[in-house]
Amino acid sequence: MKNNIKVERAINNLTQEELANKISVSRQTINAMEANKYVPSTVLALKIAKVFNKSVEELFVLEEED
């Protein structure tokens, strides 16, 4: 699953650490998601979407092989 978290962070001038603090995860979790090495839970995806005022579908893209 690909995502647009890094792009949204840049638009909103948030560091990985700041986003992590807003959704109560580690900076390493944000880093892993941005590198497409970690797929967040539904709850975590919803929290991220809320921070950026976007839908989950706008942030996360399900690929054919997923």
Side-chain angles (χ1 to χ4, degrees):
M1 179 182 316
K2 290 191 176 186
N3 66 70
N4 299 316
I5 297 171
K6 188 172 186 176
V7 172
E8 286 299 322
R9 271 196 319 99
I11 290 168
N12 289 276
N13 294 315
L14 283 176
T15 65
Q16 287 182 341
E17 187 74 33
E18 290 167 334
L19 177 57
N21 289 338
K22 286 180 179 284
I23 60 173
S24 301
V25 297
S26 70
R27 184 201 56 78
Q28 290 85 353
T29 299
I30 302 300
N31 187 44
M33 281 190 284
E34 289 182 356
N36 296 314
K37 294 180 179 177
Y38 175 77
V39 177
S41 67
T42 304
V43 172
L44 188 53
L46 288 167
K47 286 180 179 181
I48 295 167
K50 188 174 182 178
V51 167
F52 295 126
N53 197 29
K54 300 279 183 176
S55 69
V56 171
E57 292 83 4
E58 289 176 292
L59 292 175
F60 298 93
V61 180
L62 187 63
E63 297 180 301
E64 286 293 321
E65 60 271 7
D66 290 339

